[in-house]
Amino acid sequence: MGISDELVERLRAAEHVAVLTGAGVSAESGVPTFRDAQTGLWANYDPAELATPQAFLRNPRLVWDWYAYRRQTVEAAQPNEAHYALVDLEQHYSDFTLITQNIDSLHWRAGSRDLLELHGNISRVRCFECATYAPGWDEEGELPPRCARCGGLLRPDVVWFGEGLPDQALRLAYEAAQRSQVFLSVGTSAIVQPAASLPLIARRSGAYLIEINVEETSLSVFADCWLQDQAGTVLPELVRRVIRDIQSREEGA
Ligand code: BV8
Ligand code: ZN
């Protein structure tokens, strides 16, 4: 697995830690990653094509149905060991920021609270016209449902390609990356901007950069350490080495 003593020491000594997660963290919960081949009736669609305002305006029903299908998958999924290990890390550090590109609520359901959702959340729905949030909607009537306030079409509260990210979440993410002493990039192909710039900003600001991914990415060459294994395997081991070992030593002292 390649968790070096230096890596453990860096994490033990750190006070400011930030983590960026991508779809790879939810893969072990059975949620297909963005680059996994789409299956079933979605096999012929390219996610990057569907996740755009143009696609929604061109075919609102198709895009609405795609998110309804993904919402069902996400709601049926459970957080995995990677999500829970990140909760342990959050509770261990006084300054810990979890920045996620994922829209699936699994970090929140696992117990993460110092959480920044850069790309929104599939469980929330808002009006395409007036941006009013819809607390609920009728899946049996006209789809996409319409806004109670202005009659506009409702859409998932996610960031589509070509749309800006939520200002505050992005600002806080930049700040967390800049002050981090250790930055972990976990389960992301590090392609989508501006999220993919966060690990590099951290590195440039002096952070020790750890990448956890089953495959090499464009970030790997910049990482101080690339742990080529599943997030659900590596993160619990990191918690054991960084937190549990200290606790057992203190208890034994
Ligand atoms: C913006 C929500 C400007 C929706 C998402 C050229 C043309 C057009 C646009 C651009 C361009 N160049 C740059 C851009 C900008 C564009 C962009 O970055 N494009 C890319 C494709 C080059 N970015 C944008 O459009 C952003 N907005 O720039 O707006 C602007 C600014 C101000 C005002 C107005 C406008 C918006 C980007 C957000 C898009 N929305 N999601 C939805 O989900 O439906 S992004 C989407 O892709 C996903 O949410 C996810 O975040 C991302 C995919 O990334 P990953 O999470 O990394 O997932 P992926 O499948 O790629 O990789 C998974 C990784 O996990 C793999 O590496 C795999 O090996 C690994 N893995 C798998 N299993 C495991 C594992 N690792 C560990 N353990 C495992 N078990
Ligand atoms: Zn409206």
Side-chain angles (χ1 to χ4, degrees):
M1 180 179 305
I3 296 181
S4 67
D5 291 342
E6 182 197 6
L7 186 157
V8 173
E9 263 324 296
R10 292 270 184 164
L11 273 169
R12 280 185 182 161
E15 286 171 23
H16 308 287
V17 174
V19 181
L20 173 70
T21 62
V25 162
S26 298
E28 293 164 75
S29 295
V31 178
T33 70
F34 213 71
R35 272 147 195 65
D36 279 341
Q38 296 231 91
T39 56
L41 66 164
W42 303 107
N44 304 326
Y45 294 95
D46 170 6
E49 286 299 309
L50 285 178
T52 65
Q54 294 78 7
F56 183 74
L57 290 172
R58 198 168 44 243
N59 192 335
R61 177 64 190 268
L62 177 76
V63 174
W64 175 269
D65 286 351
W66 182 48
Y67 281 93
Y69 165 73
R70 291 173 66 193
R71 194 176 292 114
Q72 278 176 349
T73 305
V74 158
E75 284 167 358
Q78 296 303 322
N80 66 62
E81 288 308 309
H83 296 103
Y84 291 114
L86 290 166
V87 177
D88 290 337
L89 290 176
E90 173 177 318
Q91 290 166 356
H92 178 70
Y93 291 103
S94 55
D95 176 19
F96 179 94
T97 306
L98 176 53
I99 306 158
T100 190
Q101 299 172 88
N102 300 338
I103 61 172
D104 60 27
S105 299
L106 289 176
H107 284 305
W108 181 265
R109 286 171 54 193
S112 291
R113 290 298 177 265
D114 287 340
L115 177 62
L116 299 173
E117 292 182 321
L118 293 185
H119 295 161
N121 190 301
I122 200 169
S123 66
R124 291 191 302 265
V125 163
R126 60 178 154 93
C127 176
F128 189 87
E129 301 302 332
C130 71
T132 303
Y133 283 94
W137 59 89
D138 174 11
E139 285 280 3
E140 303 309 317
E142 176 200 2
L143 294 177
R146 290 210 171 257
C147 169
R149 188 161 169 269
C150 79
L153 291 175
L154 296 183
R155 56 164 286 176
D157 185 32
V158 298
V159 179
W160 281 331
F161 287 100
E163 294 185 323
L165 276 61
D167 293 336
Q168 186 181 3
L170 187 54
R171 179 174 52 77
L172 291 172
Y174 280 133
E175 289 170 4
Q178 281 157 343
R179 70 171 182 272
S180 66
Q181 294 154 312
V182 177
F183 192 99
L184 296 96
S185 177
V186 189
T188 179
S189 56
I191 293 169
V192 174
Q193 295 296 349
S197 59
L198 291 166
L200 297 175
I201 289 169
R203 185 83 178 73
R204 265 203 298 275
S205 307
Y208 186 81
L209 179 58
I210 302 166
E211 181 178 37
I212 299 172
N213 197 316
V214 293
E215 69 177 10
E216 190 164 17
T217 71
S218 52
L219 187 67
S220 306
V221 68
F222 300 104
D224 292 289
C225 180
W226 165 33
L227 301 173
Q228 184 175 11
D229 204 335
Q230 295 202 317
T233 305
V234 176
L235 286 170
E237 178 61 13
L238 271 185
V239 167
R240 193 183 66 74
R241 296 273 299 271
V242 173
I243 303 175
R244 299 281 180 267
D245 285 0
I246 296 180
Q247 282 171 346
S248 51
R249 271 224 297 271
E250 282 160 359
E251 280 149 21

